[in-house]
Amino acid sequence: MKKLNVRDIRKAKKGNLQVLTCYDYQTASLMNESMLDMILVGDSVGNVILGYETTVEVTLEEMIIFGKAVRRGAPEKFLILDLPFGSYSTIVQGIHSATKLFKETKAEALKLEGAFPYQLKLIERLTQTGIPVMGHIGLTPQSVHQQGGYYVHGKTDASQDRLMKEAKALEAAGAFSIVLECVEENLATKISDELSIPTIGIGSGKKTDGQVLVVNDLLKMGPKTPPKFCPPIADFYQMKKELLDQYLRDQGK
Ligand code: KIV
């Protein structure tokens, strides 16, 4: 499969863009040989791999380590990396962090959460310097404390109005695509219809231009129950547990 670029992704509006997160070389190698369109090294690496309570704890240095591992395994996939919390609190800091992350990991794009005016300005500047940016609105886990937990967004008129404005502002700022996380389904459809760049949904219904899931949820790699919108297609945690127990029994334990 041909490696996509931002022009292909923009053209995939009304398409079926499939994105999964990835955090390690082995899984990346597997994905490299698959029909997956894009790989996201999300800051969900904090919860999923590092056992942090929230993504707020993830550092730029950690994103670089995981990003490089995934890049080595998947040289033929369009790779997106998250800018972590605290690495883009100002425009100047954001340009510095983004340049370092982009350069060191050889990603094709970066993603950042939110659409406040300084973030829009940052997206404008980054795209001008040659760094493609994916936006992310709705449930933005880096703001979990500010948002007051994890829940579906866009249920009230005010919230619907705000999210639609944010999506349009991100497109105007130059984002090549936008993640809609836990955005009420009808609103996610409406936003997708009104934008000319592809929307990538997670927990936002089936009518976005693509879907992103956390691969460790999809395959149930860990002990925690995956979110309702991601019914696992396997239970690797249980399988690994049984195999390990069997191995230890065979060793006389
Ligand atoms: O960090 C992440 O994995 C993400 C996806 C859930 C979109 O941002």
Side-chain angles (χ1 to χ4, degrees):
M1 178 184 168
K2 171 189 169 282
K3 182 174 183 170
L4 299 185
N5 59 47
V6 271
R7 279 185 301 135
D8 300 318
I9 294 163
R10 281 176 181 274
K11 277 190 227 148
K13 182 73 192 164
K14 298 280 170 215
N16 174 24
L17 289 165
Q18 291 298 322
V19 190
L20 287 173
T21 65
C22 185
Y23 318 105
D24 69 279
Y25 171 80
Q26 291 184 347
T27 313
S29 306
L30 186 75
M31 289 181 176
N32 195 50
E33 294 173 20
S34 75
M35 293 300 288
L36 199 62
D37 295 301
M38 298 180 246
I39 295 178
L40 170 68
V41 181
D43 59 354
S44 50
V45 67
N47 316 84
V48 176
I49 302 297
L50 298 171
Y52 295 157
E53 212 166 300
T54 71
T55 57
V56 172
E57 294 172 62
V58 178
T59 65
L60 190 64
E61 288 66 32
E62 287 165 343
M63 289 306 300
I64 290 172
I65 291 170
F66 289 100
K68 280 180 166 179
V70 172
R71 176 78 296 168
R72 285 191 288 268
E76 287 147 39
K77 289 291 169 190
F78 188 94
L79 180 65
I80 308 152
L81 257 75
D82 261 339
L83 271 167
F85 177 82
S87 72
Y88 58 106
S89 305
T90 65
I91 296 173
V92 172
Q93 186 202 22
I95 293 171
H96 183 75
S97 305
T99 307
K100 187 173 165 66
L101 190 60
F102 193 65
K103 252 186 144 141
E104 291 194 23
T105 62
K106 301 187 189 141
E108 273 79 29
L110 301 180
K111 174 165 84 57
L112 62 88
E113 296 182 7
F116 286 108
Y118 83 92
Q119 292 163 322
L120 297 171
K121 194 85 207 149
L122 174 60
I123 292 172
E124 234 176 87
R125 291 300 300 272
L126 292 178
T127 53
Q128 283 164 1
T129 63
I131 302 179
V133 180
M134 179 179 256
H136 182 159
I137 55 171
L139 194 170
T140 47
Q142 291 177 16
S143 308
V144 58
H145 301 300
Q146 180 62 29
Q147 291 188 337
Y150 302 105
Y151 52 89
V152 175
H153 289 244
K155 287 188 164 176
T156 64
D157 287 352
S159 157
Q160 287 178 9
D161 188 46
R162 185 177 48 77
L163 283 163
M164 181 60 86
K165 282 189 179 136
E166 286 180 351
K168 288 184 175 170
L170 284 168
E171 172 167 340
F176 70 93
S177 171
I178 303 180
V179 167
L180 301 178
E181 180 163 355
C182 294
V183 170
E184 192 277 325
E185 203 171 327
N186 293 320
L187 177 64
T189 306
K190 201 160 168 239
I191 291 175
S192 303
D193 286 345
E194 294 205 14
L195 294 190
S196 60
I197 54 171
T199 55
I200 310 292
I202 174 163
S204 302
K206 294 201 164 83
K207 304 258 177 66
T208 48
D209 304 303
Q211 296 285 330
V212 57
L213 287 173
V214 170
V215 71
N216 297 58
D217 287 341
L218 185 66
L219 300 177
K220 194 165 186 320
M221 300 290 280
K224 291 191 182 152
T225 308
K228 260 197 229 128
F229 58 76
C230 183
I233 56 172
D235 189 343
F236 277 91
Y237 189 76
Q238 185 60 26
M239 199 187 295
K240 285 187 288 184
K241 189 174 180 319
E242 284 167 15
L243 289 169
L244 185 60
D245 286 347
Q246 183 60 53
Y247 169 75
L248 291 172
R249 273 196 303 276
D250 291 348
Q251 303 309 308
K253 287 288 183 186

